[in-house]
Amino acid sequence: MTVTSRTNGTTVLAHPLGPLTGDEITQTSSLIKALWPQDVDLQFKTITLHEPTKAELVPYLIAERAGQPTPSIDRRAFVVYYLRSTHNLHEAIVNLTKSTVERNVKPGPFDHAAGDAEELLAVEKAALAHPEVQAAIAKLELPQGSVVVIDPWIYGSDGLKKGTTFYDDKRVYQCYLYMRDPLNSTAADSCHYAFPLPISPVIDPATLELIRIDVLPMGHDETVKPLGPWSPVPPNEYIPEAQATLRGDLKPLRVSQPEGASFTVEPFSELGKLIRWQKWDFKVGFNAREGMVLYDVHYDNKPLFYRVSLSDMAIPYADPRSPYHRKQAFDLGDVGAGIMANNLALGCDCLGSIYYIDGLVAGSDGKGVAMPNVVCVHEQDSGILWKHTNYRTERAVVVRNRELVLQTILTVSNYEYILMYVFNMAGDLTYEVRATGILSTSPVDPTLSTQPHPFGTVVHPGVLAAFHQHFFSLRIDPMIAGSGNKVIYEEAYALPRDEALNPHGTGYTVNKTDITTSGGFDAVPANNRVFKIVNPSVTNPINGAPVGYKIMVPPMQPILADKDSFHYKRAEFADKTLYVTRYADGELFAGGLYTNQSRGGTGVRSWADRKDTIEGDPVVWVNFGINHIPRIEDFPVMPMEMLRVMLRPVNFFDRNPALDVPQSSQEFNCSVGLNGDKGVEKAAASPCCGTNGANGVR
């Protein structure tokens, strides 16, 4: 389908799954503004694609793939906005095709929109300028010329009233104060996290009023001492120019593709991209909350996944002392993966032959904001995909594991998340998370630096990095070999000894359990529990098993906060490795639509508790994470920590699907030997590097 641009008359592609264009964002905000008197100023928080229902979209995608006429589907936008400088929040749906507002309502009392950069900067400025904050800082007697830096945090929830004037149904920010290196205070990139200060103002982002100032505990318990002179500590910098020396023996490692990349990219809409690579084809969208979204994923023209996205993140902190007891970030719901996406740099964030995808999000004024280079697409070598050496003939056949990577990087104040979809030539789809950046630090009495702390690790004199957990929820809407999917799990059990069948006690077998009702499920590594998404109506021609994909997820310690805590209630995906729900339109975010100061009860645990019969249309929520017990090596910047979830075919193909990948050869790869001619003759003997590997019978 094509449409004509409203602004310049050019013809562009339109598609039900295409991200909103700049024209559509402007059209949406104009229709919302028209609902209000001209003197009412609106602050837009979200203007994003309101995706069609699955019932509408599936016939469209089937017709599109078959090259047949596609049904007409109206384009819609989902909108969240405030009346500026108030807490008056509204949620709307705009029909862009008909230029009408179909819905405009006020959400519930504990529903708050996400933060944004404009708001954070205003909060920082207001907090630093407030006379009471300035008076509190003065009590620290900081060195002359010191520069104080503020990290505003989402306030969190505890349900407690503070005096008679404040209850946390009101949207506010908890601000944590730091200082640049006082001996180098003009350096804007100074690592201020090495200088945490014990003052924490609470600011109303609507009015920019100071609610109160919290003084932070600096000992091993909840005791708060009066503010007094700051105790000097040394800096701890991560920027290269601050290091005494840099390594001089690291030589270039360059990725070269002299014939270009093996993938193709074409638009399926003005901003959406269709990517084809090594039998894979899929659509890539981008939005403010989820960032990258995959749609309509196929391998060798076989349907696999209707929609895949990172649905949510939660980072609950372990320090039980006030105000840290509320410290819990939902980085996607509280801000947004698209909003925080980096402009990726060639040769730094992505190596090789790179294709960049741009994004577009809405600003608070209701106009589009360009997000250049938010996704990089490239190929990489990941070692060997498969190999066998026939020891009798000494012939080795080797195939390299070429991968296609879609990468985006988020900066969430102090933390960075590197998020990747990784496709390989054997039908595997992997979601990879790498966590790096800087720890969120708090002050500790420097005299206690060498003593173990009950709630964190001292990573620098006077600097505490609290224990915390990172949870991620990958939402998978499957269509393995078509519709009618079901979720099962298999477990391995030892057979009891039996004089006839198992006389030596070595046997074990696998039992299968169907998941027929929505619920949450644990991994149970002791039983080798493996979750699978299968299509019972399509069977493998060799063994008759239903075709499927298994979910390979790393072990995760569930959330440690107790079930009555707001940490637990809000992070509805952090207690189980897997949730399975029956598909419902609009249920996209594991923590609920609104996570800012949320109360829980609106996310995946609540949906699973409906105990719906799955009936062939499951949605699978794969939850994974780490318990981050900080190391001193994690400061002043953290070496990345990696997590991977793999979706791998099980009885889906009739043989190894990568048998047709050309074998590895020196002629193709052009590697360089560093020890003279050793290995050169062997490499020339055959395309697969000759008789390598056959050093003996095993």
Side-chain angles (χ1 to χ4, degrees):
M1 178 169 66
T2 59
V3 296
T4 301
S5 169
R6 295 173 179 272
T7 56
N8 55 23
T10 59
T11 300
V12 297
L13 292 169
H15 190 283
L17 292 175
L20 292 187
T21 66
D23 286 348
E24 289 176 323
I25 290 173
T26 301
Q27 179 190 359
T28 298
S29 62
S30 296
L31 289 167
I32 295 296
K33 289 175 182 177
L35 300 175
W36 298 91
Q38 289 188 350
D39 61 345
V40 175
D41 188 14
L42 303 183
Q43 178 187 10
F44 289 94
K45 285 292 189 172
T46 300
I47 303 178
T48 192
L49 177 70
H50 184 69
E51 294 182 11
T53 66
K54 198 171 184 179
E56 290 180 292
L57 194 52
V58 168
Y60 183 102
L61 295 175
I62 291 173
E64 178 185 45
R65 181 163 289 271
Q68 299 172 351
T70 54
S72 177
I73 299 178
D74 287 357
R75 295 270 291 171
R76 290 179 171 85
F78 175 74
V79 189
V80 177
Y81 67 97
Y82 283 104
L83 275 60
R84 193 177 291 276
S85 301
T86 75
H87 293 281
N88 194 343
L89 181 67
H90 287 74
E91 173 189 303
I93 293 176
V94 171
N95 187 314
L96 293 162
T97 304
K98 296 182 171 65
S99 288
T100 58
V101 178
E102 296 182 336
R103 182 170 181 259
N104 185 48
V105 299
K106 286 178 64 65
F110 295 105
D111 293 334
H112 305 289
D116 58 57
E118 175 186 305
E119 187 172 85
L120 293 179
L121 292 173
V123 167
E124 288 181 36
K125 184 177 179 180
L128 278 176
H130 199 281
E132 291 183 38
V133 176
Q134 289 289 329
I137 293 173
K139 294 179 181 179
L140 302 180
E141 299 180 15
L142 301 178
Q144 186 70 27
S146 295
V147 175
V148 175
V149 180
I150 289 184
D151 274 13
W153 271 68
I154 297 295
Y155 184 80
S157 296
D158 59 13
L160 299 178
K161 293 187 176 182
K162 304 289 184 182
T164 59
T165 60
F166 178 76
Y167 182 44
D168 68 353
D169 61 342
K170 185 177 186 178
R171 186 171 69 100
V172 292
Y173 281 93
Q174 185 88 45
C175 298
Y176 294 102
L177 270 60
Y178 303 88
M179 176 176 61
R180 292 181 191 167
D181 176 7
L183 300 180
N184 192 21
S185 60
T186 60
D189 289 316
S190 172
C191 182
H192 55 267
Y193 298 102
F195 301 97
L197 303 176
I199 300 169
S200 183
V202 177
I203 300 290
D204 182 328
T207 64
L208 299 179
E209 295 174 325
L210 176 70
I211 303 297
R212 68 175 187 274
I213 297 175
D214 292 332
V215 178
L216 304 179
M218 294 181 62
H220 287 179
D221 60 20
E222 71 281 6
T223 303
V224 174
K225 296 181 179 179
L227 296 174
W230 173 74
S231 299
V233 296
N236 200 338
E237 305 290 5
Y238 65 90
I239 53 177
E241 60 269 28
Q243 311 312 312
T245 59
L246 296 176
R247 302 181 191 192
D249 57 351
L250 190 65
K251 295 183 171 59
L253 192 160
R254 293 171 179 153
V255 179
S256 174
Q257 292 185 275
E259 298 178 18
S262 301
F263 60 87
T264 62
V265 183
E266 59 188 86
F268 75 85
S269 73
E270 183 174 336
L271 295 175
K273 303 299 181 185
L274 172 63
I275 296 179
R276 304 180 195 273
W277 177 81
Q278 295 298 303
K279 301 186 181 181
W280 289 96
D281 70 87
F282 51 90
K283 297 178 177 70
V284 182
F286 185 87
N287 64 56
R289 179 161 180 164
E290 298 163 292
M292 289 188 293
V293 182
L294 303 185
Y295 302 103
D296 200 25
V297 181
H298 286 67
Y299 184 90
D300 202 15
N301 210 34
K302 297 177 176 65
L304 296 179
F305 306 106
Y306 174 77
R307 192 184 194 275
V308 183
S309 69
L310 182 65
S311 167
D312 236 320
M313 296 167 54
I315 303 92
Y317 280 72
D319 195 330
R321 303 171 298 172
S322 182
Y324 303 125
H325 69 288
R326 291 188 307 272
K327 194 172 182 180
Q328 182 180 29
F330 289 79
D331 290 332
L332 271 61
D334 289 351
V335 187
I339 296 292
M340 300 178 292
N342 288 190
N343 183 340
L344 303 177
L346 190 66
C348 300
D349 300 302
C350 315
L351 300 181
S353 299
I354 310 299
Y355 182 91
Y356 289 101
I357 298 176
D358 297 336
L360 187 72
V361 299
S364 67
D365 60 356
K367 297 178 181 178
V369 177
M371 302 285 289
N373 302 343
V374 289
V375 177
C376 67
V377 185
H378 63 96
E379 294 174 284
Q380 67 184 18
D381 180 273
S382 184
I384 292 173
L385 179 59
W386 63 263
K387 175 179 178 175
H388 179 64
T389 300
N390 186 331
Y391 72 86
R392 295 173 180 86
T393 64
E394 296 190 349
R395 179 182 176 184
V397 181
V398 186
V399 167
R400 302 292 300 179
N401 188 22
R402 181 82 63 91
E403 294 177 333
L404 180 72
V405 178
L406 278 71
Q407 174 179 287
T408 190
I409 302 177
L410 321 180
T411 296
V412 195
S413 189
N414 55 296
Y415 246 101
E416 265 78 15
Y417 295 99
I418 304 165
L419 309 176
M420 287 181 264
Y421 291 102
V422 183
F423 301 80
N424 80 358
M425 295 185 287
D428 298 339
L429 171 56
T430 298
Y431 191 79
E432 182 176 302
V433 174
R434 300 187 183 198
T436 180
I438 301 177
L439 296 161
S440 179
T441 59
S442 54
V444 65
D445 188 330
T447 64
L448 301 175
S449 290
T450 59
Q451 299 180 27
H453 198 284
F455 311 124
T457 303
V458 175
V459 294
H460 185 71
V463 178
L464 181 69
F467 306 144
H468 56 283
Q469 294 177 278
H470 294 256
F471 295 103
F472 307 86
S473 185
L474 186 68
R475 182 184 183 274
I476 303 168
D477 190 344
M479 54 175 183
I480 304 297
S483 60
N485 287 189
K486 68 188 297 186
V487 183
I488 67 171
Y489 61 83
E490 294 179 342
E491 297 176 296
Y493 290 99
L495 291 173
R497 279 189 178 252
D498 180 88
E499 286 295 329
L501 177 63
N502 188 28
H504 304 289
T506 58
Y508 69 89
T509 191
V510 174
N511 294 339
K512 178 176 75 72
T513 302
D514 292 347
I515 296 176
T516 58
T517 304
S518 63
F521 303 88
D522 296 316
V524 195
N527 295 346
N528 193 48
R529 180 177 286 181
V530 176
F531 296 97
K532 296 180 181 179
I533 307 168
V534 300
N535 191 328
S537 64
V538 181
T539 57
N540 187 283
I542 306 298
N543 61 15
V547 299
Y549 262 66
K550 68 177 179 178
I551 301 166
M552 302 171 67
V553 57
M556 173 190 81
Q557 183 177 27
I559 188 169
L560 290 170
D562 73 40
K563 292 185 177 182
D564 292 326
S565 69
F566 278 106
H567 274 9
Y568 180 91
K569 292 176 182 178
R570 300 175 68 210
E572 295 205 20
F573 50 93
D575 59 332
K576 298 290 183 181
T577 296
L578 203 84
Y579 273 100
V580 180
T581 60
R582 183 177 175 179
Y583 175 86
D585 291 319
E587 291 183 353
L588 294 174
F589 311 121
L593 179 58
Y594 297 101
T595 61
N596 187 351
Q597 295 178 224
S598 60
R599 290 296 204 268
T602 60
V604 67
R605 186 191 301 130
S606 302
W607 304 331
D609 284 347
R610 294 190 300 242
K611 299 302 178 185
D612 294 332
T613 301
I614 299 301
E615 293 184 351
D617 199 5
V619 175
V620 181
W621 311 76
V622 183
N623 308 312
F624 57 104
I626 55 173
N627 190 341
H628 191 176
I629 309 300
R631 313 168 299 151
I632 201 163
E633 292 86 353
D634 289 335
F635 198 72
V637 68
M638 173 182 158
M640 73 87 184
E641 190 149 348
M642 182 169 64
L643 293 165
R644 306 188 96 208
V645 173
M646 179 181 286
L647 307 176
R648 166 161 276 195
V650 176
N651 300 315
F652 191 86
F653 302 100
D654 59 5
R655 62 204 304 231
N656 179 349
L659 289 175
D660 59 350
V661 178
Q663 61 183 311
S664 183
S665 70
Q666 170 61 5
E667 180 183 9
F668 188 81
N669 294 321
C670 299
S671 296
V672 176
L674 297 180
N675 48 352
D677 294 334
K678 189 173 183 180
V680 175
E681 292 180 1
K682 183 180 290 187
S686 80
C688 55
C689 305
T691 56
N692 58 358
N695 293 322
V697 177
R698 298 186 182 186

